[in-house]
Amino acid sequence: MPLLIQNRRIERPGSTVDLFARYPHLQENARVFRSKPVVDVDPKCLLYIQQREFAATTPADNSVAVLGSDDATTCHLVLVRHTGSGAACLAHCDGSSTWSEVPLIVKAVTSLSKDPAKEGRLELHLVGGFDDESKTSHKLSLNLLSAFQRQKEDIHLETCCITEMNDVLVDGAHRPGVQGIGINIKTGEVFPASFPHKGPAEELRSARTFTGGQYLSTSPTAEPPHFVQHIKSTIQFLLEHPSSDSVFPGGQPQHYRRTEQGDWENVNQT
């Protein structure tokens, strides 16, 4: 089934302007969401999702209380949650593989929601983008909506704080109003958020976004203050690890676990 708004099937919009004109309550919901205070999330309960990553979990997870991601400018943060099981998946999408990402996001949630005693529905929250000159945000917004419409499951669009509804003017320049979100896995609350700590293995995980011929940024004037230092540290990591052998000895993945103190510990180094 296609995407649903207020329990009704929607047709593919020609633009985000068209979408918000047809469903004005989405505009109000976006304004309310954008006005919420930004929460600095404690890293000891957090699983941070970087660009081109997604992660899913359930309220039964004793290691993760919050899924979160930030630093989204033209990127979109995509959250799917099942209201019965509480299973949730958060993705940081940059448009590089939208059509293959969306089915994986939905599958991640449905695979964790198979208990028939926990009936519910799939709800979608989209946050990100702004009114950028190149219309990169607008294109990604429409592609994400279209991709979710192609899924066989009923998916209810609840939050749509994207593109022009996430746009603010700062000194006459367009900027994204909300650049990060978190979800409390236990309660299902979704909120604007920032994350001082983006581990584990921040530089390693960031390095993979340099593949595929991408620009360092699609919107350099809208990046957060720490963006340049983040890029420098990632490039330095690549220079120090020109091959994967030193990072993945024997071709084996890195494994992390949560310690009793709440930190991430590299199991391979213990």
PDB file of all heavy atoms in Angstrom, residues 213-231:
ATOM      1  N   GLY A 213      32.262   9.530  -5.221  1.00  0.00           N
ATOM      2  CA  GLY A 213      32.388  10.784  -5.952  1.00  0.00           C
ATOM      3  C   GLY A 213      31.564  11.917  -5.391  1.00  0.00           C
ATOM      4  O   GLY A 213      31.201  12.836  -6.121  1.00  0.00           O
ATOM      5  N   GLN A 214      31.266  11.889  -4.113  1.00  0.00           N
ATOM      6  CA  GLN A 214      30.476  12.958  -3.497  1.00  0.00           C
ATOM      7  C   GLN A 214      31.326  14.180  -3.216  1.00  0.00           C
ATOM      8  O   GLN A 214      32.517  14.087  -2.952  1.00  0.00           O
ATOM      9  CB  GLN A 214      29.860  12.477  -2.170  1.00  0.00           C
ATOM     10  CG  GLN A 214      28.865  11.344  -2.291  1.00  0.00           C
ATOM     11  CD  GLN A 214      27.568  11.821  -2.881  1.00  0.00           C
ATOM     12  OE1 GLN A 214      26.926  12.719  -2.343  1.00  0.00           O
ATOM     13  NE2 GLN A 214      27.173  11.239  -3.981  1.00  0.00           N
ATOM     14  N   TYR A 215      30.645  15.362  -3.192  1.00  0.00           N
ATOM     15  CA  TYR A 215      31.298  16.576  -2.740  1.00  0.00           C
ATOM     16  C   TYR A 215      31.502  16.489  -1.235  1.00  0.00           C
ATOM     17  O   TYR A 215      30.837  15.729  -0.537  1.00  0.00           O
ATOM     18  CB  TYR A 215      30.436  17.802  -3.060  1.00  0.00           C
ATOM     19  CG  TYR A 215      30.251  18.061  -4.527  1.00  0.00           C
ATOM     20  CD1 TYR A 215      29.051  17.759  -5.149  1.00  0.00           C
ATOM     21  CD2 TYR A 215      31.274  18.622  -5.287  1.00  0.00           C
ATOM     22  CE1 TYR A 215      28.871  18.013  -6.507  1.00  0.00           C
ATOM     23  CE2 TYR A 215      31.101  18.882  -6.640  1.00  0.00           C
ATOM     24  CZ  TYR A 215      29.893  18.565  -7.239  1.00  0.00           C
ATOM     25  OH  TYR A 215      29.732  18.808  -8.573  1.00  0.00           O
ATOM     26  N   LEU A 216      32.455  17.304  -0.710  1.00  0.00           N
ATOM     27  CA  LEU A 216      32.609  17.357   0.741  1.00  0.00           C
ATOM     28  C   LEU A 216      31.341  17.877   1.388  1.00  0.00           C
ATOM     29  O   LEU A 216      30.997  17.510   2.498  1.00  0.00           O
ATOM     30  CB  LEU A 216      33.813  18.236   1.121  1.00  0.00           C
ATOM     31  CG  LEU A 216      35.179  17.729   0.660  1.00  0.00           C
ATOM     32  CD1 LEU A 216      36.270  18.660   1.149  1.00  0.00           C
ATOM     33  CD2 LEU A 216      35.431  16.308   1.167  1.00  0.00           C
ATOM     34  N   SER A 217      30.623  18.755   0.690  1.00  0.00           N
ATOM     35  CA  SER A 217      29.341  19.245   1.184  1.00  0.00           C
ATOM     36  C   SER A 217      28.506  19.728   0.007  1.00  0.00           C
ATOM     37  O   SER A 217      29.021  20.353  -0.925  1.00  0.00           O
ATOM     38  CB  SER A 217      29.540  20.399   2.169  1.00  0.00           C
ATOM     39  OG  SER A 217      28.296  20.990   2.519  1.00  0.00           O
ATOM     40  N   THR A 218      27.194  19.435   0.058  1.00  0.00           N
ATOM     41  CA  THR A 218      26.272  19.954  -0.949  1.00  0.00           C
ATOM     42  C   THR A 218      25.802  21.356  -0.603  1.00  0.00           C
ATOM     43  O   THR A 218      25.180  22.025  -1.428  1.00  0.00           O
ATOM     44  CB  THR A 218      25.044  19.042  -1.078  1.00  0.00           C
ATOM     45  OG1 THR A 218      24.434  18.899   0.218  1.00  0.00           O
ATOM     46  CG2 THR A 218      25.441  17.661  -1.600  1.00  0.00           C
ATOM     47  N   SER A 219      26.093  21.797   0.633  1.00  0.00           N
ATOM     48  CA  SER A 219      25.639  23.126   1.081  1.00  0.00           C
ATOM     49  C   SER A 219      26.644  23.702   2.075  1.00  0.00           C
ATOM     50  O   SER A 219      26.377  23.783   3.273  1.00  0.00           O
ATOM     51  CB  SER A 219      24.262  23.012   1.741  1.00  0.00           C
ATOM     52  OG  SER A 219      24.287  21.996   2.741  1.00  0.00           O
ATOM     53  N   PRO A 220      27.834  24.071   1.598  1.00  0.00           N
ATOM     54  CA  PRO A 220      28.916  24.498   2.503  1.00  0.00           C
ATOM     55  C   PRO A 220      28.567  25.693   3.381  1.00  0.00           C
ATOM     56  O   PRO A 220      29.045  25.787   4.516  1.00  0.00           O
ATOM     57  CB  PRO A 220      30.073  24.814   1.547  1.00  0.00           C
ATOM     58  CG  PRO A 220      29.445  24.986   0.198  1.00  0.00           C
ATOM     59  CD  PRO A 220      28.257  24.089   0.193  1.00  0.00           C
ATOM     60  N   THR A 221      27.732  26.593   2.913  1.00  0.00           N
ATOM     61  CA  THR A 221      27.408  27.781   3.721  1.00  0.00           C
ATOM     62  C   THR A 221      26.448  27.465   4.854  1.00  0.00           C
ATOM     63  O   THR A 221      26.262  28.284   5.753  1.00  0.00           O
ATOM     64  CB  THR A 221      26.791  28.886   2.841  1.00  0.00           C
ATOM     65  OG1 THR A 221      25.572  28.408   2.253  1.00  0.00           O
ATOM     66  CG2 THR A 221      27.760  29.315   1.744  1.00  0.00           C
ATOM     67  N   ALA A 222      25.839  26.285   4.830  1.00  0.00           N
ATOM     68  CA  ALA A 222      24.863  25.923   5.859  1.00  0.00           C
ATOM     69  C   ALA A 222      25.394  24.899   6.854  1.00  0.00           C
ATOM     70  O   ALA A 222      24.669  24.471   7.747  1.00  0.00           O
ATOM     71  CB  ALA A 222      23.595  25.379   5.203  1.00  0.00           C
ATOM     72  N   GLU A 223      26.657  24.515   6.709  1.00  0.00           N
ATOM     73  CA  GLU A 223      27.218  23.498   7.600  1.00  0.00           C
ATOM     74  C   GLU A 223      27.430  24.051   9.013  1.00  0.00           C
ATOM     75  O   GLU A 223      27.644  25.248   9.196  1.00  0.00           O
ATOM     76  CB  GLU A 223      28.546  22.983   7.047  1.00  0.00           C
ATOM     77  CG  GLU A 223      28.439  22.257   5.711  1.00  0.00           C
ATOM     78  CD  GLU A 223      27.710  20.922   5.814  1.00  0.00           C
ATOM     79  OE1 GLU A 223      27.407  20.482   6.948  1.00  0.00           O
ATOM     80  OE2 GLU A 223      27.431  20.333   4.752  1.00  0.00           O
ATOM     81  N   PRO A 224      27.397  23.162  10.033  1.00  0.00           N
ATOM     82  CA  PRO A 224      27.623  23.597  11.411  1.00  0.00           C
ATOM     83  C   PRO A 224      29.074  24.014  11.637  1.00  0.00           C
ATOM     84  O   PRO A 224      29.956  23.684  10.828  1.00  0.00           O
ATOM     85  CB  PRO A 224      27.270  22.350  12.234  1.00  0.00           C
ATOM     86  CG  PRO A 224      27.481  21.209  11.289  1.00  0.00           C
ATOM     87  CD  PRO A 224      27.098  21.728   9.930  1.00  0.00           C
ATOM     88  N   PRO A 225      29.354  24.731  12.728  1.00  0.00           N
ATOM     89  CA  PRO A 225      30.699  25.260  12.970  1.00  0.00           C
ATOM     90  C   PRO A 225      31.801  24.203  13.020  1.00  0.00           C
ATOM     91  O   PRO A 225      32.939  24.479  12.642  1.00  0.00           O
ATOM     92  CB  PRO A 225      30.549  25.957  14.337  1.00  0.00           C
ATOM     93  CG  PRO A 225      29.103  26.290  14.436  1.00  0.00           C
ATOM     94  CD  PRO A 225      28.383  25.182  13.743  1.00  0.00           C
ATOM     95  N   HIS A 226      31.459  22.995  13.470  1.00  0.00           N
ATOM     96  CA  HIS A 226      32.491  21.959  13.619  1.00  0.00           C
ATOM     97  C   HIS A 226      32.728  21.167  12.332  1.00  0.00           C
ATOM     98  O   HIS A 226      33.524  20.224  12.324  1.00  0.00           O
ATOM     99  CB  HIS A 226      32.099  20.986  14.738  1.00  0.00           C
ATOM    100  CG  HIS A 226      30.748  20.355  14.519  1.00  0.00           C
ATOM    101  ND1 HIS A 226      29.602  20.861  15.072  1.00  0.00           N
ATOM    102  CD2 HIS A 226      30.360  19.277  13.786  1.00  0.00           C
ATOM    103  CE1 HIS A 226      28.569  20.109  14.715  1.00  0.00           C
ATOM    104  NE2 HIS A 226      29.010  19.144  13.927  1.00  0.00           N
ATOM    105  N   PHE A 227      32.069  21.544  11.238  1.00  0.00           N
ATOM    106  CA  PHE A 227      32.149  20.765  10.003  1.00  0.00           C
ATOM    107  C   PHE A 227      33.573  20.673   9.458  1.00  0.00           C
ATOM    108  O   PHE A 227      34.045  19.595   9.088  1.00  0.00           O
ATOM    109  CB  PHE A 227      31.223  21.376   8.949  1.00  0.00           C
ATOM    110  CG  PHE A 227      31.334  20.724   7.591  1.00  0.00           C
ATOM    111  CD1 PHE A 227      30.759  19.495   7.344  1.00  0.00           C
ATOM    112  CD2 PHE A 227      32.037  21.348   6.549  1.00  0.00           C
ATOM    113  CE1 PHE A 227      30.864  18.892   6.101  1.00  0.00           C
ATOM    114  CE2 PHE A 227      32.140  20.754   5.310  1.00  0.00           C
ATOM    115  CZ  PHE A 227      31.555  19.527   5.083  1.00  0.00           C
ATOM    116  N   VAL A 228      34.278  21.802   9.417  1.00  0.00           N
ATOM    117  CA  VAL A 228      35.629  21.816   8.845  1.00  0.00           C
ATOM    118  C   VAL A 228      36.568  20.912   9.636  1.00  0.00           C
ATOM    119  O   VAL A 228      37.329  20.119   9.053  1.00  0.00           O
ATOM    120  CB  VAL A 228      36.183  23.254   8.774  1.00  0.00           C
ATOM    121  CG1 VAL A 228      37.651  23.244   8.363  1.00  0.00           C
ATOM    122  CG2 VAL A 228      35.375  24.091   7.793  1.00  0.00           C
ATOM    123  N   GLN A 229      36.504  20.999  10.972  1.00  0.00           N
ATOM    124  CA  GLN A 229      37.366  20.153  11.794  1.00  0.00           C
ATOM    125  C   GLN A 229      37.024  18.682  11.607  1.00  0.00           C
ATOM    126  O   GLN A 229      37.911  17.816  11.589  1.00  0.00           O
ATOM    127  CB  GLN A 229      37.236  20.548  13.271  1.00  0.00           C
ATOM    128  CG  GLN A 229      38.134  19.737  14.201  1.00  0.00           C
ATOM    129  CD  GLN A 229      39.600  19.796  13.783  1.00  0.00           C
ATOM    130  OE1 GLN A 229      40.126  20.878  13.500  1.00  0.00           O
ATOM    131  NE2 GLN A 229      40.250  18.648  13.726  1.00  0.00           N
ATOM    132  N   HIS A 230      35.750  18.394  11.448  1.00  0.00           N
ATOM    133  CA  HIS A 230      35.325  17.012  11.220  1.00  0.00           C
ATOM    134  C   HIS A 230      35.910  16.473   9.913  1.00  0.00           C
ATOM    135  O   HIS A 230      36.423  15.345   9.862  1.00  0.00           O
ATOM    136  CB  HIS A 230      33.796  16.954  11.181  1.00  0.00           C
ATOM    137  CG  HIS A 230      33.248  15.646  10.713  1.00  0.00           C
ATOM    138  ND1 HIS A 230      33.318  14.493  11.464  1.00  0.00           N
ATOM    139  CD2 HIS A 230      32.632  15.291   9.542  1.00  0.00           C
ATOM    140  CE1 HIS A 230      32.772  13.489  10.799  1.00  0.00           C
ATOM    141  NE2 HIS A 230      32.350  13.955   9.636  1.00  0.00           N
ATOM    142  N   ILE A 231      35.864  17.287   8.852  1.00  0.00           N
ATOM    143  CA  ILE A 231      36.420  16.863   7.567  1.00  0.00           C
ATOM    144  C   ILE A 231      37.933  16.680   7.668  1.00  0.00           C
ATOM    145  O   ILE A 231      38.502  15.704   7.152  1.00  0.00           O
ATOM    146  CB  ILE A 231      36.077  17.885   6.465  1.00  0.00           C
ATOM    147  CG1 ILE A 231      34.569  17.876   6.191  1.00  0.00           C
ATOM    148  CG2 ILE A 231      36.844  17.579   5.191  1.00  0.00           C
ATOM    149  CD1 ILE A 231      34.038  16.568   5.646  1.00  0.00           C
TER     150      ILE A 231
END
